[in-house]
Amino acid sequence: DADVTQTPRNRITKTGKRIMLECSQTKGHDRMYWYRQDPGLGLRLIYYSFDVKDINKGEISDGYSVSRQAQAKFSLSLESAIPNQTALYFCATSDSGTDSTDTQYFGPGTRLTVL
Amino acid sequence: GQSLEQPSEVTAVEGAIVQINCTYQTSGFYGLSWYQQHDGGAPTFLSYNALDGLEETGRFSSFLSRSDSYGYLLLQELQMKDSASYFCAVRVYNNAGNMLTFGGGTRLMVKP
């Protein structure tokens, strides 16, 4: 079974709709992240959480919100989706305790299209 | 803020050696990471340099010069399966802790 899972894998929605993307991990990591990937722009950080009670804005948080429901779950919401939020979204985890490299482990991604 | 520069595309032939450069401007620098991403896949970790010098992991090596704000990923004995995008990422420290900022990625095409 995959260590980091994302649901849904693909989603097509309309402008103005509320969308939630979910991420779960079985790695036992304390840190979780949401990234957005657009062609030629690499990965840009939306939000990150270093533990259940910690939420931080990333580079491009406007239009997004997150919830860390448990150590293993981190969800991303688009309150009112707009077409320029069409992108590939990745969830990632890392372990602050034992990994000096802070390696991030990515989920398979969610391809979101906003019409 | 942080900025990273890496070439958008590199082409090489099977069996050759290729170097992907990364220059960065940042504050609170901890280290430089490299990730590989195949088309349709998720990024996966390749290497990390916190100190100056070369780190070798099989066919892949990564180099860092903190004084020059520069690093590179060296891929030897290229194979077709190495065709992928490669991202450098700086690990920086801010008020919340440390985090990664990724470059735009270099698409490597390996030809027979």
Side-chain angles (χ1 to χ4, degrees):
Chain A
D1 289 339
D3 295 320
V4 185
T5 57
Q6 294 183 231
T7 55
R9 295 294 312 278
N10 288 282
R11 180 73 183 268
I12 300 174
T13 190
K14 295 182 178 180
T15 298
K17 294 291 188 181
R18 184 179 188 274
I19 297 296
M20 179 180 286
L21 309 182
E22 300 192 13
C23 176
S24 294
Q25 52 116 346
T26 59
K27 300 185 77 66
H29 288 172
D30 52 343
R31 298 181 172 188
M32 297 188 75
Y33 311 81
W34 274 105
Y35 291 93
R36 167 180 172 157
Q37 186 172 36
D38 298 277
L41 293 179
L43 293 148
R44 292 184 292 167
L45 185 62
I46 306 172
Y47 271 96
Y48 59 107
S49 170
F50 284 170
D51 64 43
V52 174
K53 297 180 181 180
D54 175 76
I55 300 289
N56 302 284
K57 292 182 177 181
E59 178 187 355
I60 53 164
S61 59
D62 288 349
Y64 302 94
S65 62
V66 292
S67 174
R68 184 83 184 263
Q69 300 95 321
Q71 186 188 38
K73 295 184 181 296
F74 192 36
S75 60
L76 176 72
S77 294
L78 289 69
E79 296 301 325
S80 179
I82 56 177
N84 77 2
Q85 291 178 312
T86 294
L88 184 56
Y89 290 85
F90 285 103
C91 173
T93 74
S94 68
D95 182 2
S96 66
T98 61
D99 183 4
S100 62
T101 68
D102 200 29
T103 296
Q104 295 196 8
Y105 298 85
F106 287 80
T110 295
R111 187 166 295 279
L112 176 66
T113 302
V114 183
L115 302 176
Chain B
Q2 295 85 35
S3 69
L4 295 92
E5 294 287 333
Q6 54 180 128
S8 59
E9 200 170 288
V10 173
T11 302
V13 297
E14 203 172 8
I17 299 172
V18 72
Q19 179 174 311
I20 300 174
N21 297 321
C22 176
T23 58
Y24 59 87
Q25 289 185 318
T26 187
S27 57
F29 179 83
Y30 257 28
L32 186 70
S33 298
W34 289 91
Y35 285 75
Q36 178 192 59
Q37 184 182 28
H38 287 99
D39 284 348
T44 56
F45 173 80
L46 288 177
S47 68
Y48 176 73
N49 295 69
L51 303 175
D52 286 357
L54 193 68
E55 294 280 344
E56 298 181 66
T57 309
R59 295 187 296 114
F60 293 3
S61 302
S62 58
F63 172 83
L64 175 65
S65 169
R66 296 174 68 112
S67 60
D68 295 322
S69 298
Y70 164 75
Y72 65 73
L73 179 69
L74 190 72
L75 297 83
Q76 303 182 71
E77 302 172 16
L78 280 174
Q79 302 175 8
M80 297 298 293
K81 67 178 182 180
D82 296 330
S83 292
S85 292
Y86 294 85
F87 296 89
C88 60
V90 291
R91 185 181 176 197
V92 298
Y93 185 85
N94 61 23
N95 290 337
N98 61 75
M99 53 183 280
L100 287 182
T101 297
F102 285 82
T106 298
R107 187 174 183 85
L108 171 63
M109 289 183 286
V110 180
K111 297 185 174 181

Coordinates of all heavy atoms in Angstrom, one line a residue, chain A residues 11-101:
Chain A
R11 N -10.1 15.5 -10.8 CA -11.4 16.1 -10.5 C -11.6 17.3 -11.5 O -10.7 18.1 -11.8 CB -11.4 16.7 -9.1 CG -12.7 17.4 -8.7 CD -13.8 16.4 -8.4 NE -15.0 17.1 -8.0 CZ -15.4 17.3 -6.8 NH1 -14.6 17.0 -5.8 NH2 -16.6 17.9 -6.6
I12 N -12.8 17.3 -12.1 CA -13.2 18.4 -12.9 C -14.4 19.1 -12.3 O -15.4 18.4 -11.9 CB -13.6 17.9 -14.3 CG1 -12.5 17.2 -15.0 CG2 -14.1 19.1 -15.2 CD1 -12.8 16.5 -16.3
T13 N -14.3 20.4 -12.1 CA -15.4 21.1 -11.4 C -15.6 22.4 -12.1 O -14.9 22.8 -13.1 CB -15.0 21.4 -10.0 OG1 -16.1 21.9 -9.2 CG2 -13.8 22.4 -9.8
K14 N -16.6 23.2 -11.6 CA -17.0 24.4 -12.3 C -16.6 25.6 -11.4 O -16.4 25.5 -10.2 CB -18.5 24.5 -12.6 CG -18.9 23.4 -13.6 CD -20.4 23.5 -13.9 CE -20.8 22.5 -14.9 NZ -22.3 22.6 -15.2
T15 N -16.4 26.7 -12.0 CA -16.1 28.0 -11.3 C -17.1 28.2 -10.2 O -18.3 28.1 -10.4 CB -16.0 29.1 -12.3 OG1 -15.0 28.9 -13.2 CG2 -15.8 30.5 -11.5
G16 N -16.6 28.6 -9.0 CA -17.4 28.9 -7.9 C -17.7 27.7 -7.0 O -18.2 28.0 -5.8
K17 N -17.4 26.5 -7.4 CA -17.7 25.4 -6.5 C -16.6 25.2 -5.4 O -15.5 25.6 -5.6 CB -17.7 24.1 -7.4 CG -18.8 24.0 -8.4 CD -20.1 23.8 -7.7 CE -21.3 23.6 -8.7 NZ -22.6 23.4 -8.0
R18 N -17.1 24.6 -4.3 CA -16.1 24.3 -3.2 C -15.6 22.9 -3.4 O -16.3 22.0 -3.7 CB -16.8 24.4 -1.9 CG -15.9 24.2 -0.7 CD -16.6 24.3 0.6 NE -15.7 24.3 1.8 CZ -15.3 23.2 2.3 NH1 -15.7 22.0 1.9 NH2 -14.4 23.2 3.4
I19 N -14.3 22.8 -3.3 CA -13.6 21.6 -3.6 C -12.7 21.2 -2.4 O -12.0 22.1 -1.8 CB -12.7 21.7 -4.8 CG1 -13.6 21.9 -6.1 CG2 -11.9 20.4 -5.0 CD1 -14.5 20.8 -6.4
M20 N -12.7 20.0 -2.0 CA -11.7 19.5 -1.0 C -10.9 18.4 -1.5 O -11.4 17.4 -2.1 CB -12.5 19.0 0.3 CG -11.5 18.5 1.4 SD -12.3 18.0 2.8 CE -12.8 19.5 3.6
L21 N -9.6 18.5 -1.4 CA -8.6 17.5 -1.7 C -8.1 16.9 -0.4 O -7.7 17.6 0.5 CB -7.5 18.0 -2.6 CG -7.8 18.9 -3.8 CD1 -6.6 19.3 -4.5 CD2 -8.8 18.2 -4.7
E22 N -8.0 15.6 -0.4 CA -7.6 14.9 0.9 C -6.3 14.2 0.7 O -5.9 13.7 -0.3 CB -8.7 14.0 1.3 CG -10.0 14.7 1.6 CD -11.1 13.9 2.3 OE1 -10.7 12.8 2.9 OE2 -12.2 14.3 2.3
C23 N -5.6 14.2 1.8 CA -4.3 13.5 1.9 C -4.2 12.7 3.2 O -4.5 13.2 4.2 CB -3.1 14.5 1.8 SG -1.5 13.8 1.9
S24 N -3.7 11.4 3.0 CA -3.5 10.6 4.2 C -2.1 9.9 4.1 O -1.7 9.6 3.0 CB -4.6 9.5 4.3 OG -5.8 10.0 4.5
Q25 N -1.5 9.7 5.2 CA -0.2 9.1 5.2 C -0.1 8.1 6.3 O -0.7 8.2 7.4 CB 0.9 10.1 5.4 CG 0.8 11.1 6.5 CD 1.8 11.0 7.6 OE1 2.6 10.0 7.6 NE2 1.9 12.0 8.5
T26 N 0.7 7.0 6.0 CA 0.9 5.9 7.0 C 2.3 5.9 7.4 O 2.8 4.9 8.0 CB 0.5 4.6 6.4 OG1 1.2 4.3 5.2 CG2 -1.0 4.5 6.1
K27 N 3.1 6.9 7.1 CA 4.5 6.9 7.4 C 4.8 7.4 8.9 O 5.9 7.3 9.3 CB 5.2 7.9 6.5 CG 5.1 7.4 5.0 CD 5.9 8.3 4.1 CE 7.4 7.9 4.1 NZ 7.7 6.6 3.6
G28 N 3.8 7.9 9.6 CA 4.0 8.4 10.9 C 4.8 9.7 11.0 O 5.3 10.1 12.1
H29 N 4.8 10.4 9.9 CA 5.5 11.7 9.9 C 4.7 12.8 10.5 O 3.5 12.8 10.5 CB 5.9 12.1 8.4 CG 6.9 11.2 7.8 ND1 7.3 11.3 6.5 CD2 7.7 10.3 8.4 CE1 8.2 10.4 6.2 NE2 8.5 9.8 7.3
D30 N 5.4 13.8 11.1 CA 4.7 14.9 11.8 C 4.4 16.0 10.8 O 3.5 16.8 11.0 CB 5.6 15.4 13.0 CG 7.0 15.7 12.6 OD1 7.5 15.2 11.6 OD2 7.6 16.4 13.4
R31 N 5.2 16.1 9.7 CA 5.1 17.3 8.9 C 4.4 16.9 7.6 O 4.6 15.9 7.0 CB 6.5 17.8 8.5 CG 7.2 18.3 9.7 CD 8.6 18.9 9.4 NE 9.2 19.5 10.6 CZ 10.3 20.3 10.6 NH1 10.9 20.5 9.4 NH2 10.7 20.8 11.7
M32 N 3.4 17.8 7.2 CA 2.7 17.6 5.9 C 2.6 18.9 5.2 O 2.6 20.0 5.7 CB 1.3 17.0 6.2 CG 1.4 15.7 6.9 SD -0.2 14.9 7.1 CE -0.5 14.3 5.4
Y33 N 2.5 18.8 3.8 CA 2.6 19.9 2.9 C 1.6 19.8 1.8 O 1.3 18.6 1.4 CB 4.0 20.0 2.3 CG 5.2 19.9 3.3 CD1 5.6 18.6 3.7 CD2 5.9 21.0 3.7 CE1 6.7 18.5 4.6 CE2 6.9 20.9 4.6 CZ 7.3 19.7 5.1 OH 8.4 19.6 5.9
W34 N 1.2 20.9 1.3 CA 0.4 20.9 0.0 C 1.2 21.8 -1.0 O 1.5 23.0 -0.7 CB -1.0 21.5 0.2 CG -1.9 20.4 0.6 CD1 -2.5 20.2 1.9 CD2 -2.5 19.4 -0.2 NE1 -3.3 19.2 1.9 CE2 -3.4 18.6 0.6 CE3 -2.4 19.1 -1.6 CZ2 -4.1 17.6 0.1 CZ3 -3.1 18.0 -2.0 CH2 -4.0 17.2 -1.2
Y35 N 1.4 21.2 -2.2 CA 2.1 21.9 -3.3 C 1.2 22.0 -4.5 O 0.3 21.1 -4.7 CB 3.4 21.2 -3.7 CG 4.5 21.3 -2.7 CD1 4.7 20.3 -1.8 CD2 5.4 22.3 -2.7 CE1 5.7 20.3 -0.9 CE2 6.5 22.4 -1.8 CZ 6.6 21.3 -0.9 OH 7.7 21.4 0.0
R36 N 1.4 23.0 -5.3 CA 0.8 23.1 -6.6 C 1.9 23.1 -7.7 O 2.9 23.7 -7.5 CB 0.0 24.4 -6.6 CG -0.5 24.8 -8.0 CD -1.2 26.1 -8.0 NE -1.5 26.5 -9.3 CZ -2.5 27.3 -9.7 NH1 -3.3 27.9 -8.7 NH2 -2.7 27.7 -10.9
Q37 N 1.6 22.3 -8.8 CA 2.6 22.3 -9.9 C 1.9 22.7 -11.1 O 0.9 22.2 -11.6 CB 3.1 20.9 -10.0 CG 4.2 20.8 -11.1 CD 4.9 19.4 -11.1 OE1 4.3 18.4 -10.9 NE2 6.2 19.5 -11.3
D38 N 2.5 23.7 -11.7 CA 2.1 24.2 -13.1 C 3.3 24.0 -14.0 O 4.4 24.1 -13.6 CB 1.7 25.7 -13.0 CG 0.5 26.0 -12.1 OD1 -0.6 25.8 -12.6 OD2 0.7 26.3 -10.9
P39 N 3.0 23.8 -15.3 CA 4.1 23.6 -16.2 C 5.2 24.7 -16.2 O 4.8 25.9 -16.3 CB 3.4 23.5 -17.6 CG 2.0 23.1 -17.2 CD 1.7 23.7 -15.9
G40 N 6.4 24.4 -16.0 CA 7.5 25.4 -16.1 C 7.7 26.2 -14.8 O 8.6 27.0 -14.7
L41 N 6.8 26.0 -13.8 CA 6.9 26.7 -12.6 C 7.3 25.8 -11.4 O 7.4 26.3 -10.3 CB 5.6 27.4 -12.3 CG 5.2 28.5 -13.2 CD1 3.8 29.1 -12.8 CD2 6.2 29.6 -13.3
G42 N 7.6 24.6 -11.6 CA 8.0 23.7 -10.5 C 6.9 23.5 -9.5 O 5.7 23.6 -9.9
L43 N 7.3 23.3 -8.3 CA 6.4 23.0 -7.2 C 6.3 24.3 -6.3 O 7.4 24.8 -5.9 CB 6.8 21.8 -6.4 CG 6.8 20.5 -7.1 CD1 7.8 19.6 -6.6 CD2 5.4 19.9 -6.9
R44 N 5.1 24.8 -6.1 CA 5.0 25.9 -5.2 C 4.2 25.6 -4.0 O 3.1 24.9 -4.1 CB 4.3 27.1 -6.0 CG 5.2 27.7 -7.1 CD 4.5 28.9 -7.7 NE 3.4 28.5 -8.5 CZ 2.5 29.3 -9.0 NH1 2.6 30.6 -8.7 NH2 1.4 28.9 -9.7
L45 N 4.7 26.0 -2.8 CA 4.1 25.6 -1.5 C 2.9 26.4 -1.2 O 2.9 27.6 -1.3 CB 5.1 25.8 -0.4 CG 4.8 25.3 1.0 CD1 4.5 23.8 1.0 CD2 5.9 25.7 1.9
I46 N 1.8 25.7 -0.9 CA 0.5 26.4 -0.6 C 0.3 26.6 0.9 O 0.2 27.7 1.4 CB -0.7 25.6 -1.2 CG1 -0.5 25.3 -2.7 CG2 -2.0 26.4 -0.9 CD1 -1.6 24.4 -3.2
Y47 N 0.4 25.5 1.6 CA 0.3 25.5 3.1 C 1.2 24.3 3.6 O 1.4 23.3 2.9 CB -1.1 25.2 3.6 CG -2.0 26.4 3.7 CD1 -2.8 26.9 2.7 CD2 -2.0 27.2 4.9 CE1 -3.6 28.0 2.9 CE2 -2.8 28.3 5.1 CZ -3.6 28.7 4.1 OH -4.4 29.8 4.3
Y48 N 1.6 24.5 4.9 CA 2.3 23.4 5.5 C 2.0 23.3 7.0 O 1.6 24.3 7.6 CB 3.8 23.4 5.3 CG 4.5 24.7 5.7 CD1 5.3 24.7 6.9 CD2 4.4 25.9 5.0 CE1 6.0 25.8 7.3 CE2 5.0 27.0 5.5 CZ 5.8 27.0 6.6 OH 6.5 28.2 7.0
S49 N 2.2 22.1 7.5 CA 1.8 21.9 8.9 C 2.9 21.0 9.6 O 3.2 20.0 9.1 CB 0.5 21.1 9.0 OG 0.2 20.7 10.3
F50 N 3.5 21.5 10.7 CA 4.6 20.8 11.3 C 4.1 19.9 12.4 O 4.8 19.0 12.9 CB 5.6 21.8 11.8 CG 6.5 22.3 10.8 CD1 7.4 23.4 11.0 CD2 6.5 21.8 9.5 CE1 8.2 23.9 10.0 CE2 7.3 22.4 8.5 CZ 8.1 23.4 8.8
D51 N 2.8 20.1 12.9 CA 2.1 19.1 13.7 C 0.7 19.4 13.7 O 0.2 20.4 13.0 CB 2.7 19.0 15.1 CG 2.5 20.3 15.9 OD1 1.4 20.9 15.9 OD2 3.5 20.7 16.6
V52 N -0.1 18.7 14.4 CA -1.6 18.8 14.3 C -2.1 20.2 14.7 O -3.0 20.7 14.1 CB -2.3 17.8 15.2 CG1 -3.8 18.0 15.3 CG2 -2.0 16.4 14.8
K53 N -1.4 20.9 15.6 CA -1.9 22.2 16.0 C -1.2 23.4 15.3 O -1.3 24.5 15.6 CB -1.7 22.4 17.5 CG -2.5 21.4 18.3 CD -2.3 21.6 19.8 CE -3.1 20.6 20.6 NZ -2.9 20.8 22.1
D54 N -0.4 23.0 14.2 CA 0.4 24.0 13.6 C 0.1 24.1 12.1 O 0.1 23.1 11.4 CB 1.9 23.6 13.7 CG 2.8 24.5 12.9 OD1 3.0 25.7 13.4 OD2 3.3 24.1 11.8
I55 N -0.4 25.3 11.6 CA -0.7 25.5 10.2 C 0.0 26.8 9.8 O 0.0 27.8 10.5 CB -2.2 25.7 10.0 CG1 -3.0 24.5 10.5 CG2 -2.5 26.0 8.5 CD1 -2.8 23.3 9.6
N56 N 0.7 26.7 8.6 CA 1.4 27.9 8.1 C 1.1 28.1 6.7 O 1.0 27.2 5.9 CB 2.9 27.6 8.3 CG 3.4 27.4 9.7 OD1 3.4 28.3 10.5 ND2 3.6 26.1 10.0
K57 N 1.1 29.4 6.3 CA 0.9 29.7 4.9 C 2.2 29.6 4.1 O 3.2 29.9 4.6 CB 0.4 31.2 4.7 CG -1.0 31.4 5.3 CD -1.5 32.8 5.1 CE -2.9 33.0 5.5 NZ -3.4 34.4 5.3
G58 N 2.1 29.1 2.9 CA 3.2 29.0 2.0 C 3.2 30.2 1.1 O 2.7 31.2 1.3
E59 N 3.9 30.0 -0.1 CA 4.1 31.0 -1.0 C 2.8 31.5 -1.7 O 2.7 32.7 -2.0 CB 5.1 30.5 -2.1 CG 5.4 31.4 -3.3 CD 6.2 30.7 -4.3 OE1 6.6 29.5 -4.2 OE2 6.4 31.3 -5.4
I60 N 1.8 30.6 -1.9 CA 0.7 30.9 -2.7 C -0.6 30.5 -2.0 O -1.4 29.7 -2.5 CB 0.7 30.3 -4.1 CG1 1.0 28.8 -4.0 CG2 1.8 31.0 -4.9 CD1 0.7 28.1 -5.3
S61 N -0.9 30.9 -0.8 CA -2.0 30.5 0.0 C -3.4 31.1 -0.3 O -4.4 30.6 0.0 CB -1.7 30.7 1.5 OG -1.5 32.0 1.8
D62 N -3.3 32.3 -1.0 CA -4.6 33.0 -1.3 C -5.5 32.1 -2.1 O -5.1 31.5 -3.1 CB -4.3 34.2 -2.1 CG -3.7 35.3 -1.2 OD1 -3.7 35.2 0.0 OD2 -3.3 36.3 -1.8
G63 N -6.8 32.0 -1.7 CA -7.8 31.2 -2.4 C -7.9 29.7 -1.9 O -8.7 29.0 -2.3
Y64 N -7.0 29.4 -0.9 CA -6.9 28.0 -0.4 C -7.0 28.1 1.1 O -6.7 29.1 1.8 CB -5.6 27.4 -0.7 CG -5.3 27.3 -2.2 CD1 -4.5 28.2 -2.8 CD2 -5.8 26.2 -3.0 CE1 -4.2 28.1 -4.2 CE2 -5.5 26.1 -4.3 CZ -4.7 27.1 -4.9 OH -4.4 27.0 -6.3
S65 N -7.5 27.0 1.7 CA -7.5 26.8 3.2 C -7.1 25.3 3.4 O -7.3 24.5 2.5 CB -8.8 27.2 3.8 OG -9.8 26.3 3.4
V66 N -6.7 25.0 4.6 CA -6.3 23.6 5.0 C -6.9 23.3 6.3 O -7.2 24.1 7.2 CB -4.8 23.4 5.0 CG1 -4.2 23.5 3.6 CG2 -4.1 24.4 5.9
S67 N -6.9 22.0 6.6 CA -7.3 21.4 7.9 C -6.4 20.2 8.2 O -6.2 19.3 7.3 CB -8.7 21.0 7.9 OG -9.1 20.4 9.1
R68 N -5.8 20.2 9.4 CA -5.0 19.0 9.8 C -5.8 18.3 10.8 O -5.8 18.6 12.0 CB -3.7 19.5 10.4 CG -2.7 18.4 10.8 CD -1.9 17.9 9.6 NE -1.1 16.7 9.9 CZ 0.2 16.8 10.3 NH1 0.8 18.0 10.3 NH2 0.9 15.8 10.5
Q69 N -6.6 17.3 10.3 CA -7.6 16.7 11.2 C -6.9 15.7 12.2 O -7.5 15.4 13.2 CB -8.6 15.9 10.3 CG -9.4 16.7 9.3 CD -8.7 16.7 7.9 OE1 -7.5 16.8 7.8 NE2 -9.6 16.7 6.9
A70 N -5.8 15.2 11.8 CA -5.0 14.3 12.6 C -3.6 14.3 12.1 O -3.3 14.8 11.1 CB -5.6 12.9 12.5
Q71 N -2.7 13.6 12.8 CA -1.3 13.6 12.4 C -1.3 13.0 10.9 O -0.4 13.4 10.1 CB -0.4 12.8 13.3 CG 1.0 12.9 12.9 CD 2.0 12.0 13.6 OE1 1.6 10.8 13.9 NE2 3.1 12.4 14.0
A72 N -2.2 12.1 10.6 CA -2.1 11.4 9.4 C -2.9 12.0 8.3 O -2.8 11.5 7.1 CB -2.5 9.9 9.5
K73 N -3.7 13.0 8.5 CA -4.6 13.6 7.5 C -4.4 15.1 7.4 O -4.4 15.8 8.4 CB -6.0 13.2 7.9 CG -6.3 11.8 7.9 CD -7.7 11.5 8.1 CE -8.1 10.0 8.1 NZ -7.8 9.4 6.8
F74 N -4.4 15.6 6.2 CA -4.2 17.0 5.9 C -5.0 17.3 4.6 O -4.7 16.7 3.5 CB -2.7 17.3 5.7 CG -2.3 18.7 5.6 CD1 -2.9 19.7 6.5 CD2 -1.2 19.1 4.8 CE1 -2.5 21.0 6.5 CE2 -0.8 20.5 4.8 CZ -1.4 21.4 5.6
S75 N -6.0 18.1 4.7 CA -6.9 18.3 3.6 C -6.7 19.8 3.1 O -6.5 20.7 3.9 CB -8.3 18.0 3.9 OG -8.8 18.9 5.0
L76 N -6.9 19.9 1.8 CA -6.8 21.3 1.1 C -8.2 21.6 0.6 O -8.7 20.8 -0.1 CB -5.8 21.2 0.0 CG -5.6 22.5 -0.8 CD1 -4.9 23.6 0.0 CD2 -4.8 22.1 -2.1
S77 N -8.6 22.8 0.8 CA -9.9 23.3 0.3 C -9.8 24.5 -0.6 O -9.0 25.4 -0.3 CB -10.9 23.6 1.4 OG -11.2 22.4 2.2
L78 N -10.6 24.5 -1.7 CA -10.7 25.6 -2.5 C -12.2 26.1 -2.3 O -13.1 25.4 -2.6 CB -10.5 25.3 -4.0 CG -9.1 25.0 -4.4 CD1 -8.6 23.7 -3.9 CD2 -9.1 25.0 -6.0
E79 N -12.3 27.2 -1.6 CA -13.7 27.6 -1.1 C -14.5 28.0 -2.3 O -15.7 27.7 -2.4 CB -13.6 28.8 -0.2 CG -12.9 28.5 1.1 CD -13.6 27.4 1.9 OE1 -14.8 27.3 1.9 OE2 -12.8 26.6 2.5
S80 N -14.0 28.6 -3.3 CA -14.7 29.0 -4.5 C -13.7 28.9 -5.7 O -13.0 29.8 -6.0 CB -15.2 30.4 -4.4 OG -15.9 30.8 -5.6
A81 N -13.7 27.8 -6.3 CA -12.7 27.5 -7.4 C -12.8 28.4 -8.5 O -13.9 28.9 -9.0 CB -12.9 26.0 -7.8
I82 N -11.6 28.8 -9.1 CA -11.5 29.6 -10.3 C -10.6 28.9 -11.3 O -9.8 28.1 -10.9 CB -11.0 31.0 -9.9 CG1 -9.7 30.9 -9.2 CG2 -12.0 31.8 -9.1 CD1 -9.0 32.3 -8.9
P83 N -10.8 29.2 -12.6 CA -10.0 28.5 -13.6 C -8.5 28.5 -13.4 O -7.8 27.6 -13.8 CB -10.4 29.2 -14.9 CG -11.8 29.7 -14.6 CD -11.8 30.1 -13.2
N84 N -7.9 29.6 -12.9 CA -6.5 29.6 -12.7 C -6.0 28.8 -11.6 O -4.8 28.7 -11.3 CB -5.9 31.0 -12.7 CG -6.1 31.7 -11.4 OD1 -6.6 31.2 -10.4 ND2 -5.6 33.0 -11.3
Q85 N -6.9 28.1 -10.9 CA -6.5 27.1 -9.9 C -6.4 25.7 -10.6 O -6.1 24.7 -9.9 CB -7.4 27.1 -8.7 CG -7.3 28.3 -7.9 CD -8.3 28.4 -6.7 OE1 -9.5 28.1 -6.9 NE2 -7.8 28.7 -5.6
T86 N -6.6 25.6 -11.9 CA -6.4 24.4 -12.6 C -4.9 24.0 -12.5 O -4.1 24.8 -12.9 CB -6.8 24.5 -14.1 OG1 -8.2 24.7 -14.1 CG2 -6.4 23.3 -14.9
A87 N -4.6 22.9 -12.0 CA -3.2 22.5 -11.8 C -3.1 21.1 -11.2 O -4.1 20.4 -11.0 CB -2.5 23.4 -10.8
L88 N -1.9 20.6 -11.0 CA -1.6 19.3 -10.4 C -1.2 19.6 -8.9 O -0.4 20.4 -8.7 CB -0.5 18.6 -11.1 CG -0.1 17.2 -10.7 CD1 -1.3 16.3 -10.8 CD2 1.0 16.7 -11.6
Y89 N -1.9 19.0 -8.0 CA -1.7 19.3 -6.6 C -1.1 18.0 -5.9 O -1.5 16.9 -6.1 CB -3.0 19.6 -5.9 CG -3.6 20.9 -6.3 CD1 -4.4 21.0 -7.5 CD2 -3.3 22.1 -5.6 CE1 -4.9 22.3 -7.9 CE2 -3.8 23.3 -5.9 CZ -4.6 23.4 -7.1 OH -5.1 24.6 -7.5
F90 N 0.0 18.3 -5.2 CA 0.7 17.2 -4.5 C 0.7 17.5 -3.0 O 0.9 18.6 -2.5 CB 2.2 17.1 -4.9 CG 2.4 16.5 -6.3 CD1 2.7 17.3 -7.4 CD2 2.3 15.2 -6.5 CE1 2.9 16.8 -8.6 CE2 2.5 14.6 -7.7 CZ 2.8 15.4 -8.8
C91 N 0.5 16.4 -2.3 CA 0.7 16.4 -0.8 C 2.0 15.7 -0.6 O 2.5 14.8 -1.3 CB -0.5 15.6 -0.2 SG -0.3 15.2 1.6
A92 N 2.7 16.1 0.5 CA 4.0 15.5 0.9 C 4.1 15.5 2.4 O 3.4 16.2 3.1 CB 5.1 16.3 0.3
T93 N 5.0 14.6 2.8 CA 5.2 14.5 4.3 C 6.7 14.4 4.5 O 7.5 14.1 3.6 CB 4.6 13.2 4.8 OG1 5.4 12.0 4.4 CG2 3.2 13.0 4.4
S94 N 7.1 14.8 5.7 CA 8.5 14.6 6.1 C 8.6 14.4 7.6 O 7.6 14.7 8.3 CB 9.4 15.8 5.7 OG 9.0 17.0 6.4
D95 N 9.7 13.9 8.0 CA 9.9 13.5 9.4 C 11.0 14.4 10.0 O 12.1 14.3 9.7 CB 10.3 12.0 9.5 CG 10.5 11.6 11.0 OD1 10.3 12.4 11.9 OD2 10.9 10.4 11.1
S96 N 10.6 15.3 11.0 CA 11.5 16.2 11.5 C 12.4 15.5 12.5 O 13.5 16.0 12.8 CB 10.8 17.3 12.2 OG 10.1 16.9 13.3
G97 N 12.0 14.4 13.1 CA 12.7 13.8 14.2 C 14.0 13.1 13.8 O 15.0 13.2 14.5
T98 N 13.9 12.2 12.8 CA 15.0 11.3 12.5 C 15.7 11.6 11.2 O 16.8 11.0 11.0 CB 14.5 9.9 12.5 OG1 13.6 9.7 11.4 CG2 13.8 9.5 13.8
D99 N 15.2 12.5 10.4 CA 15.8 12.7 9.1 C 16.5 14.0 9.0 O 15.8 15.0 8.9 CB 14.7 12.5 8.0 CG 15.2 12.6 6.6 OD1 16.5 12.8 6.4 OD2 14.4 12.6 5.7
S100 N 17.8 14.1 9.0 CA 18.5 15.4 8.9 C 18.3 16.0 7.6 O 18.6 17.2 7.4 CB 20.0 15.2 9.3 OG 20.6 14.3 8.3
T101 N 18.0 15.3 6.6 CA 17.8 15.8 5.2 C 16.4 16.4 5.0 O 16.2 17.1 4.0 CB 18.1 14.8 4.1 OG1 17.0 13.8 4.1 CG2 19.4 14.1 4.4

